[in-house]
Amino acid sequence: MVDLSVKIGSLRLKNPVLTASGTFGYGRDYDEYLDIAQLGGIVTKTITLNPREGNPMPRIAETPAGMLNSIGLSNVGADRYLSDKLPALKNVDTVVIANVAGDTIEEYGEIVSRIQDQSRIDGIEINVSCPNVKQGGLAFGTNPDITAEVVRISRLETEKPLIVKLTPNVTDITEIALAAQESGADAVSCMNTLVGMGIDISTRKPLLHHILGGLSGPSIKPVALAKAYQIVQVLDIPVIGIGGIMTWEDAVEFLLAGVTAVQVGTLSFVDPYGSIAIIEGLRLYCQKNGISKVENLIGGMIQS
Amino acid sequence: MVDLSVKIGSLRLKNPVLTASGTFGYGRDYDEYLDIAQLGGIVTKTITLNPREGNPMPRIAETPAGMLNSIGLSNVGADRYLSDKLPALKNVDTVVIANVAGDTIEEYGEIVSRIQDQSRIDGIEINVSCPNVKQGGLAFGTNPDITAEVVRISRLETEKPLIVKLTPNVTDITEIALAAQESGADAVSCMNTLVGMGIDISTRKPLLHHILGGLSGPSIKPVALAKAYQIVQVLDIPVIGIGGIMTWEDAVEFLLAGVTAVQVGTLSFVDPYGSIAIIEGLRLYCQKNGISKVENLIGGMIQS
Amino acid sequence: MIHICEITEQHSITNNIYRMRLKAPMIASSAKPGQFIHIKVRTGIDPLLRRPFSIHRIDPGNEEIILLYRKAGRGTSILSQMSPGDSLDLMGPLGQGFDLQTSFDHAIIVAGGMGSAPVFFLIDELLKAKKKITLLWGVRAGEEIFNENEIRKQGIELKVATEDASKGHCGFVTDLLSEYLSKNITKNTYSGFVCGPECMIHEVQKIVESVDFRWQASLEARMACGVGVCLGCAVLIRERGFQMVCKDGPVFDLREVQFNG
Amino acid sequence: MIHICEITEQHSITNNIYRMRLKAPMIASSAKPGQFIHIKVRTGIDPLLRRPFSIHRIDPGNEEIILLYRKAGRGTSILSQMSPGDSLDLMGPLGQGFDLQTSFDHAIIVAGGMGSAPVFFLIDELLKAKKKITLLWGVRAGEEIFNENEIRKQGIELKVATEDASKGHCGFVTDLLSEYLSKNITKNTYSGFVCGPECMIHEVQKIVESVDFRWQASLEARMACGVGVCLGCAVLIRERGFQMVCKDGPVFDLREVQFNG
Ligand SMILES: Cc1cc2nc3c(=O)[nH]c(=O)nc-3n(C[C@H](O)[C@H](O)[C@H](O)COP(=O)(O)OP(=O)(O)OC[C@H]3O[C@@H](n4cnc5c(N)ncnc54)[C@H](O)[C@@H]3O)c2cc1C
Ligand SMILES: Cc1cc2nc3c(=O)[nH]c(=O)nc-3n(C[C@H](O)[C@H](O)[C@H](O)COP(=O)(O)OP(=O)(O)OC[C@H]3O[C@@H](n4cnc5c(N)ncnc54)[C@H](O)[C@@H]3O)c2cc1C
Ligand SMILES: Cc1cc2nc3c(=O)[nH]c(=O)nc-3n(C[C@H](O)[C@H](O)[C@H](O)COP(=O)(O)O)c2cc1C
Ligand SMILES: Cc1cc2nc3c(=O)[nH]c(=O)nc-3n(C[C@H](O)[C@H](O)[C@H](O)COP(=O)(O)O)c2cc1C
Ligand code: FES
Ligand code: FES
């Protein structure tokens, strides 16, 4: 028997595979395709204090080995999240992480405070990749001081495990990751999407209504792995790897680079069962290679 | 007859397609596969004052729709560049751009001064993606002040068209591009490779000896297009688009986003004739669509 | 549900329109007209996303579904190169089909281009329910019209418009609709159905503004998940806000769709 | 040169070793043993890069070249699914082959695993030049040994080593070499050739340190361009510094190769 469990701060996950925010709805949308209790955990779609309609269409496009999205944080808002979405996860034996965002630093504190007493929420992931109007539209997470402030204010509101989801669109991600750690984050997840765009040459229109969007999928895997590896070198808290994970081999790659768990995003769109297939693949890989605990893989890269 | 020519500062290119530095040797390596006089221009491999052996193996690896490299600026050095490589391009009717780099700000000035009186060199591209030891190994081009200083010192040495090749691994590329423009650059090229990595899970070793390397190829196209578009919005000088261009459609996409010319890199490895195929494709596309000058495409994206 | 289905037949109808049969017992026995399937045209990462296709027809006896598709880009050209015996990974049936429960006697169907794909399944069901049918069918070139005899033999009133004047009315299918409405419709025992490109559907919306029976439209949008998760395929529906074409549609009440511009 | 070549034959030799024939007149007429071709296994971006394969043999009469390859990953498994009639885009012949101009009577060849691929072309040329040949061939399992009778009939001395003891010596081909050298070699009318995985070649380098005839080794390295441009496939060669496996090799003087560690 292989022990697949891992620990993110005080959270024990039955295995290191979670589904990423925005790619698994509020947790029950893929019930027809998989048993969510088999997952290490679910990160729900980013919620904000008030509901949001999201951006005009088109919102998605395909790119070489990837996709662009500019959904615009369309979500049901905190009230409906608490009244409709969370209760639907009541008796599910897996970890539920609520992902939250705000328009201002204060709003991060408010949304955390609004949901933090829910026993069904096992951890809170802070999405700092939203545009900060005060900073000229650059994401909160591109500035270490602002990131620190967002984390600090959220930390004041909750004792639940607090995970900061980093944006990769920065010069030095270790600086931001350290700021998150020093302000009280229990873990960081790395990474959100890269900024990208595309143009339909037949109509001459941008592929996305908002022109710029977020790139995800296998094309970004090498970048995600590099960022995760870089922050693993400087942090003491656990890192969750995200970006382009499609197979159990990809998951092993991230674990060897030093992350404690992974999230899969775009994969679910292509193969709703893909996250479970990764878990099965990990188990088999460990069995075959005599690895009794998946934790033993973490950081196991051999430097040549 | 379609007019494919474009202007980069005082440089007139017969068409907007150049081959990117490091992917076309010193200009004559692909002679068996194409007639280089048909190219808009050639950017030669980055040269430094002294020859460099480059990094230990492995230096390259394949990734989803892309590749990683850490060649380590292996090059013949300024002397052999001038004595062997440049003369071989003597009677070729195309634009030759020398790409240069240094270990210190001063070295940039020295290498520019060393080559700038060569009539065969039509322009100089400054590679600011090399690690700056004084800045803790971050590339020169990640800091606007250092970029400005590199450009200023190079500008003092030459009146040749000066192109600054930007690194994408920054929070705000417009800031760096503006610094380059204000310090006297005649154009910028965008972009160099993204930082990425990979691990061979069977050996547990990193795919590259140096662990981190540069990601190129179709996977980075959406990022390259976004960066190019962003700097086109703020600059007055021309922008050359680079990153993942594989087809004439990709080239049109970049032109519509506002670049004046493009460079193709990884494509040449996959299809040495690819650059010429792009030029032919562009010509045909213009003909079919009644576009008399390719310049009319530049910035032609229609915002919805 | 995800199904691995064998291709049992593949034919080209024109230069770039293909008809494909797939062994898919579960879908053949449960699908409704207007629903679609979501296909991974090949394993691996290129192309990455699935491609949505309406169910063109079902052949329950053979446990088969039939697709009708146009070679439009990378995904469909890979599809077009596949052969009987090859397998496809598909999800479905997805989405809400046409609502045929409302009371009406006479279906008036407007189909444009590949919008004809779902229309044949719709017609098969309408015939079972003994409805009168008028089909207004617009295409670029006459060669894209197929099954003409079968259609007429079934007692369906068929009017064709071609953009290149090679068959029927020269012009748009919306011309046929305007003409039809101006002549025929008096009472509201009709029900309207429209499938085709967005601009055509938008045009139909304007034309039928004043007629007082129900119109259902089948919309298209770029899709990632196909099941309402990614929120990528939104369409603005009056009073309901953004709805997902994949999950809440692809069939919507025509009058409630808010097109951009 | 880039060639679009038709596959004329494809057979599996074992579970995952394949032999492929390609119509390639220019290559068949000009290639030298030790050279390789660089294949785009399919159009598009996945996989992105070409894959290098030694020329296993040529059949000039039929204007064909023959490859021998192991299904190792994505690219080779796509190759293994191709059929006669399909076409491949390939560059070649590339690199410097073996130098057969040096004077020697007796070739001693060490082949490990897929290193046997270029060896057959080499043997064909050595036979034409009327050289004596000793082939030491190491594989994991006996089933990977093929053409055994043909080889012996040609008067070649063949010794086999298998790791699973299913044929010949149980162990490594380097054991065979040590033994062979300890018994046979007295004068320097020999010339040595070695093809196989890096660790084996490295081992051979150590073993032949004290013998005083020339050894040539065919190396492998991950490649992008295949023609010396990307500088990706460097190998450290004594006195010459970094050389490119694709352009300066893949054949190098064994004694001059500097392996890591
Ligand atoms: C509900 C629904 C039903 C459809 N039914 C049919 C049908 O029965 N027959 C048929 O021929 N076509 C149908 N389409 C359109 C079909 O999905 C596209 O033609 C197909 O996705 C094109 O893929 P490609 O790879 O060949 O083109 P590419 O242009 O290479 O595709 C690039 C991306 O754009 C998307 N895309 C391109 N065209 C369309 C389009 N018209 N609608 C939505 N997304 C698009 C693709 O899915 C892909 O993500 C339907 C679309 C939807 C949404
Ligand atoms: C000069 C030369 C000659 C060769 N001749 C033969 C031959 O005749 N028969 C044969 O079976 N194999 C040969 N190889 C090895 C062959 O190139 C690889 O097995 C093949 O590239 C694997 O591709 P893949 O997509 O199946 O594997 P993947 O592991 O999916 O490939 C991923 C990447 O690694 C590279 N790679 C993987 N394995 C090797 C390897 N052993 N050497 C170099 N690059 C590798 C691939 O080219 C690709 O870029 C040769 C290699 C070289 C350099
Ligand atoms: C359609 C879509 C919607 C997303 N929405 C969110 C979101 O609401 N909040 C968030 O933190 N990340 C969101 N993401 C980012 C993913 O959680 C993930 O970080 C990213 O897609 C990279 O992982 P992948 O390559 O596995 O998809 C979204 C991604 C996609 C593709
Ligand atoms: C193998 C390799 C070597 C490169 N060497 C250089 C170099 O010496 N100098 C430089 O400025 N850029 C170098 N580049 C970056 C390319 O010029 C180009 O900016 C990058 O590859 C993105 O373009 P592409 O996606 O078309 O390859 C190199 C790229 C590759 C793949
Ligand atoms: S395609 Fe994902 S919500 Fe419709
Ligand atoms: S593969 Fe590019 S130099 Fe050898």
Side-chain angles (χ1 to χ4, degrees):
Chain A
M1 265 296 292
V2 180
D3 179 4
L4 287 180
S5 73
V6 295
K7 265 187 92 176
I8 303 287
S10 59
L11 263 186
R12 176 58 71 187
L13 307 181
K14 63 173 79 167
N15 65 61
V17 181
L18 303 100
T19 52
S21 181
T23 64
F24 209 73
Y26 299 102
R28 306 247 43 156
D29 302 70
Y30 276 123
D31 273 9
E32 195 188 325
Y33 298 87
L34 59 97
D35 172 12
I36 54 178
Q38 290 179 28
L39 291 168
I42 294 165
V43 185
T44 52
K45 173 80 186 161
T46 295
I47 51 161
T48 48
L49 271 182
N50 298 310
R52 296 206 191 175
E53 279 286 3
N55 291 336
M57 295 286 293
R59 292 177 172 184
I60 53 170
E62 196 180 51
T63 61
M67 66 174 284
L68 288 166
N69 86 79
S70 87
I71 307 297
L73 287 196
S74 165
N75 79 95
V76 296
D79 287 345
R80 273 195 59 208
Y81 182 71
L82 297 177
S83 64
D84 297 8
K85 302 303 180 181
L86 214 46
L89 290 165
K90 199 166 160 200
N91 293 315
V92 182
D93 176 25
T94 193
V95 160
V96 172
I97 294 172
N99 178 302
V100 300
D103 276 334
T104 59
I105 295 181
E106 296 69 37
E107 238 181 84
Y108 277 93
E110 288 167 47
I111 178 78
V112 170
S113 130
R114 183 90 176 71
I115 63 166
Q116 73 84 29
D117 62 349
Q118 298 288 320
S119 62
R120 177 60 282 205
I121 296 178
D122 300 299
I124 297 175
E125 186 178 66
I126 309 180
N127 177 1
V128 288
S129 295
C130 331
N132 178 1
V133 182
K134 283 205 191 136
Q135 211 189 337
L138 280 180
F140 288 90
T142 57
N143 181 309
D145 299 332
I146 296 173
T147 304
E149 201 44 31
V150 167
V151 177
R152 202 188 52 77
I153 216 165
S154 305
R155 181 76 289 172
L156 291 175
E157 301 294 342
T158 186
E159 308 216 310
K160 290 226 151 89
L162 205 58
I163 303 164
V164 180
K165 183 166 178 182
L166 303 174
T167 167
N169 303 297
V170 297
T171 306
D172 183 2
I173 199 165
T174 62
E175 195 187 28
I176 317 277
L178 283 169
Q181 171 175 291
E182 278 155 25
S183 325
D186 296 300
V188 299
S189 45
C190 171
M191 60 189 217
N192 216 308
T193 52
L194 285 171
V195 174
M197 78 178 265
I199 301 175
D200 179 338
I201 68 165
S202 64
T203 61
R204 295 197 177 186
K205 287 191 184 167
L207 287 179
L208 300 176
H209 183 274
H210 268 196
I211 307 180
L212 299 176
L215 183 65
S216 66
S219 55
I220 68 169
K221 192 187 72 169
V223 176
L225 198 66
K227 301 271 184 197
Y229 173 77
Q230 287 175 313
I231 60 179
V232 162
Q233 306 313 303
V234 300
L235 291 195
D236 301 317
I237 55 176
V239 176
I240 303 173
I242 320 173
I245 296 173
M246 303 296 279
T247 63
W248 65 263
E249 289 95 331
D250 295 336
V252 171
E253 222 178 321
F254 273 87
L255 291 167
L256 292 174
V259 309
T260 303
V262 297
Q263 293 179 19
V264 298
T266 303
L267 170 59
S268 292
F269 303 154
V270 176
D271 177 8
Y273 187 76
S275 44
I276 306 292
I278 290 178
I279 297 165
E280 288 168 355
L282 277 178
R283 193 189 317 272
L284 218 62
Y285 169 78
C286 289
Q287 262 164 21
K288 278 198 195 155
N289 291 276
I291 296 160
S292 59
K293 291 160 170 258
V294 81
E295 282 184 334
N296 295 344
L297 282 174
I298 298 171
M301 186 178 89
I302 299 166
Q303 310 216 5
S304 43
Chain B
M1 264 296 293
V2 180
D3 179 3
L4 287 181
S5 73
V6 296
K7 266 187 92 177
I8 302 286
S10 59
L11 264 187
R12 175 63 66 190
L13 308 181
K14 63 173 80 167
N15 66 60
V17 182
L18 302 101
T19 52
S21 181
T23 65
F24 209 75
Y26 299 102
R28 306 248 43 155
D29 303 68
Y30 276 123
D31 273 8
E32 195 189 324
Y33 298 87
L34 59 98
D35 173 11
I36 55 178
Q38 291 179 26
L39 291 169
I42 293 165
V43 186
T44 52
K45 173 79 188 162
T46 296
I47 50 161
T48 48
L49 272 181
N50 299 310
R52 298 206 189 174
E53 280 285 3
N55 291 337
M57 295 285 295
R59 291 178 172 184
I60 53 170
E62 197 180 50
T63 61
M67 66 176 283
L68 288 166
N69 86 79
S70 87
I71 306 297
L73 288 194
S74 165
N75 80 94
V76 298
D79 287 345
R80 274 195 57 207
Y81 182 72
L82 296 177
S83 64
D84 298 8
K85 302 302 180 182
L86 214 45
L89 290 165
K90 200 165 159 200
N91 294 314
V92 181
D93 176 26
T94 192
V95 160
V96 173
I97 293 172
N99 178 302
V100 300
D103 276 334
T104 59
I105 295 181
E106 296 69 37
E107 239 182 81
Y108 276 94
E110 288 167 46
I111 178 79
V112 170
S113 130
R114 183 89 177 71
I115 63 166
Q116 74 83 28
D117 62 348
Q118 298 288 321
S119 62
R120 178 59 281 207
I121 295 177
D122 300 299
I124 298 175
E125 186 178 67
I126 309 180
N127 176 1
V128 289
S129 296
C130 332
N132 179 1
V133 182
K134 282 202 194 139
Q135 212 189 335
L138 279 179
F140 289 90
T142 57
N143 181 309
D145 299 332
I146 296 173
T147 305
E149 201 45 31
V150 167
V151 177
R152 203 188 52 77
I153 215 164
S154 305
R155 181 76 289 173
L156 289 176
E157 301 293 341
T158 186
E159 309 215 312
K160 291 226 151 93
L162 206 57
I163 303 163
V164 180
K165 182 166 179 183
L166 304 174
T167 166
N169 303 296
V170 296
T171 306
D172 183 2
I173 199 163
T174 63
E175 194 189 29
I176 317 277
L178 283 168
Q181 171 175 290
E182 278 154 26
S183 324
D186 296 300
V188 298
S189 44
C190 172
M191 59 187 217
N192 216 309
T193 52
L194 286 171
V195 174
M197 77 177 268
I199 301 174
D200 179 338
I201 66 165
S202 63
T203 62
R204 294 198 177 184
K205 287 190 185 169
L207 286 179
L208 301 175
H209 183 274
H210 270 195
I211 307 181
L212 300 176
L215 183 65
S216 66
S219 55
I220 69 169
K221 192 187 72 171
V223 176
L225 198 68
K227 302 268 184 199
Y229 173 77
Q230 286 175 314
I231 60 180
V232 161
Q233 307 310 305
V234 301
L235 291 193
D236 301 317
I237 55 177
V239 176
I240 303 173
I242 321 174
I245 296 173
M246 302 296 280
T247 63
W248 66 262
E249 288 95 333
D250 294 337
V252 170
E253 221 178 323
F254 273 87
L255 291 167
L256 292 174
V259 310
T260 303
V262 297
Q263 294 179 20
V264 298
T266 304
L267 171 60
S268 293
F269 304 153
V270 177
D271 177 8
Y273 187 76
S275 45
I276 305 293
I278 289 178
I279 296 164
E280 289 168 353
L282 277 179
R283 192 188 317 273
L284 219 63
Y285 169 78
C286 289
Q287 263 165 20
K288 279 198 194 154
N289 292 278
I291 297 160
S292 59
K293 292 161 169 253
V294 81
E295 282 182 337
N296 296 345
L297 282 174
I298 298 171
M301 185 178 88
I302 299 167
Q303 308 216 6
S304 42
Chain C
M1 279 286 292
I2 292 188
H3 314 268
I4 308 296
C5 298
E6 194 186 316
I7 299 171
T8 52
E9 222 181 282
Q10 160 110 289
H11 282 301
S12 63
I13 292 187
T14 69
N15 201 359
N16 64 349
I17 299 181
Y18 295 77
R19 196 194 274 123
M20 181 185 270
R21 271 182 180 262
L22 288 157
K23 198 77 166 180
M26 308 258 291
I27 303 176
S29 64
S30 67
K32 276 177 282 187
Q35 288 190 303
F36 69 97
I37 59 170
H38 210 26
I39 303 186
K40 184 83 177 102
V41 298
R42 71 172 170 207
T43 52
I45 58 170
D46 177 41
L48 180 66
L49 299 177
R50 291 173 181 268
R51 301 293 192 256
F53 296 94
S54 302
I55 299 170
H56 172 49
R57 265 179 134 156
I58 55 172
D59 179 348
N62 288 310
E63 304 189 315
E64 290 176 329
I65 60 170
I66 306 168
L67 306 181
L68 182 78
Y69 66 93
R70 165 175 282 140
K71 199 160 75 181
R74 245 173 39 263
T76 44
S77 78
I78 292 167
L79 267 192
S80 73
Q81 281 153 28
M82 299 188 79
S83 315
D86 293 343
S87 285
L88 280 176
D89 171 333
L90 53 91
M91 291 164 70
L94 300 177
Q96 315 303 321
F98 293 100
D99 175 8
L100 303 183
Q101 302 309 311
T102 48
S103 70
F104 65 93
D105 302 329
H106 190 149
I108 168 161
I109 306 175
V110 182
M114 290 315 297
S116 55
V119 156
F120 279 74
F121 189 6
L122 173 64
I123 287 178
D124 289 340
E125 292 299 303
L126 289 170
L127 287 173
K128 278 192 207 157
K130 309 256 191 278
K131 307 287 182 186
K132 273 192 70 174
I133 302 172
T134 298
L135 172 60
L136 310 180
W137 189 356
V139 293
R140 251 162 289 186
E143 51 160 18
E144 293 172 37
I145 299 288
F146 55 91
N147 283 16
E148 215 178 324
N149 290 339
E150 189 201 337
I151 294 169
R152 295 200 204 273
K153 255 189 242 158
Q154 290 170 317
I156 296 167
E157 180 185 20
L158 172 65
K159 290 176 193 289
V160 169
T162 57
E163 290 174 35
D164 70 350
S166 54
K167 192 171 233 164
H169 169 73
C170 169
F172 295 110
V173 67
T174 43
D175 307 338
L176 297 181
L177 178 64
S178 300
E179 198 197 318
Y180 189 88
L181 290 178
S182 71
K183 283 191 201 161
N184 293 273
I185 313 275
T186 45
K187 41 191 167 25
N188 61 3
T189 54
Y190 279 87
S191 197
F193 301 88
V194 49
C195 309
E198 182 173 310
C199 56
M200 182 199 94
I201 296 183
H202 195 175
E203 196 55 35
V204 171
Q205 191 187 51
K206 292 177 197 159
I207 293 172
V208 303
E209 212 166 321
S210 56
V211 305
D212 64 353
F213 55 86
R214 182 174 180 206
W215 280 84
Q216 295 176 58
S218 171
L219 304 184
E220 290 191 6
R222 274 188 231 137
M223 292 185 179
C225 69
V227 295
V229 174
C230 73
L231 309 182
C233 66
V235 56
L236 207 49
I237 299 295
R238 256 176 262 273
E239 283 170 30
R240 290 197 287 163
F242 278 123
Q243 300 285 298
M244 295 307 133
V245 171
C246 64
K247 194 182 170 199
D248 306 307
V251 178
F252 293 94
D253 238 299
L254 176 59
R255 290 194 171 80
E256 292 173 4
V257 179
Q258 287 196 280
F259 294 100
N260 316 334
Chain D
M1 281 286 293
I2 292 188
H3 315 269
I4 309 295
C5 298
E6 195 187 315
I7 298 171
T8 52
E9 222 179 282
Q10 160 109 291
H11 282 299
S12 64
I13 292 186
T14 68
N15 199 357
N16 63 348
I17 299 182
Y18 294 78
R19 196 195 273 123
M20 180 185 270
R21 271 181 181 262
L22 289 159
K23 198 78 165 182
M26 310 258 291
I27 303 176
S29 65
S30 68
K32 276 176 283 187
Q35 287 189 305
F36 70 97
I37 59 170
H38 210 25
I39 302 185
K40 183 84 175 103
V41 298
R42 71 173 172 209
T43 52
I45 58 169
D46 178 41
L48 180 66
L49 299 176
R50 291 173 180 269
R51 301 292 191 256
F53 296 93
S54 303
I55 300 170
H56 171 50
R57 269 181 129 154
I58 56 173
D59 178 349
N62 289 311
E63 304 188 315
E64 290 175 330
I65 60 171
I66 305 167
L67 306 181
L68 183 77
Y69 66 95
R70 164 175 283 138
K71 200 161 73 179
R74 245 175 36 263
T76 43
S77 78
I78 291 168
L79 267 191
S80 72
Q81 282 154 29
M82 299 188 77
S83 316
D86 293 343
S87 285
L88 280 176
D89 170 333
L90 51 90
M91 293 165 68
L94 300 177
Q96 315 302 320
F98 293 101
D99 175 9
L100 303 182
Q101 303 308 312
T102 49
S103 70
F104 64 93
D105 303 330
H106 191 149
I108 166 162
I109 305 175
V110 180
M114 292 313 298
S116 55
V119 157
F120 279 75
F121 190 6
L122 174 63
I123 287 177
D124 290 341
E125 292 300 302
L126 289 171
L127 287 172
K128 278 192 208 156
K130 310 258 191 275
K131 307 287 184 186
K132 273 193 71 176
I133 300 171
T134 298
L135 172 59
L136 311 180
W137 189 355
V139 291
R140 250 164 286 185
E143 51 160 18
E144 294 172 37
I145 299 289
F146 54 91
N147 282 16
E148 215 179 326
N149 290 340
E150 189 202 339
I151 293 169
R152 296 200 202 272
K153 256 188 240 159
Q154 290 167 318
I156 295 165
E157 179 185 22
L158 171 65
K159 287 173 196 289
V160 169
T162 56
E163 290 174 35
D164 70 349
S166 55
K167 192 171 234 165
H169 168 74
C170 168
F172 295 110
V173 67
T174 43
D175 306 338
L176 297 179
L177 177 64
S178 300
E179 196 198 320
Y180 189 89
L181 291 177
S182 71
K183 283 191 199 158
N184 296 269
I185 314 271
T186 46
K187 39 189 169 26
N188 62 4
T189 54
Y190 280 86
S191 196
F193 302 87
V194 48
C195 308
E198 183 173 309
C199 57
M200 181 199 94
I201 297 183
H202 195 177
E203 195 56 35
V204 170
Q205 191 188 51
K206 291 176 197 160
I207 293 173
V208 304
E209 212 166 320
S210 58
V211 305
D212 64 353
F213 55 87
R214 182 176 181 204
W215 279 85
Q216 296 176 58
S218 172
L219 303 185
E220 290 190 5
R222 274 188 232 138
M223 292 183 178
C225 70
V227 295
V229 174
C230 73
L231 310 182
C233 65
V235 56
L236 207 50
I237 299 294
R238 257 175 261 272
E239 279 162 39
R240 292 198 285 162
F242 277 124
Q243 300 285 299
M244 295 306 133
V245 171
C246 65
K247 193 182 172 197
D248 306 308
V251 178
F252 292 94
D253 238 299
L254 176 59
R255 290 194 173 77
E256 292 174 4
V257 180
Q258 287 196 280
F259 295 99
N260 315 334

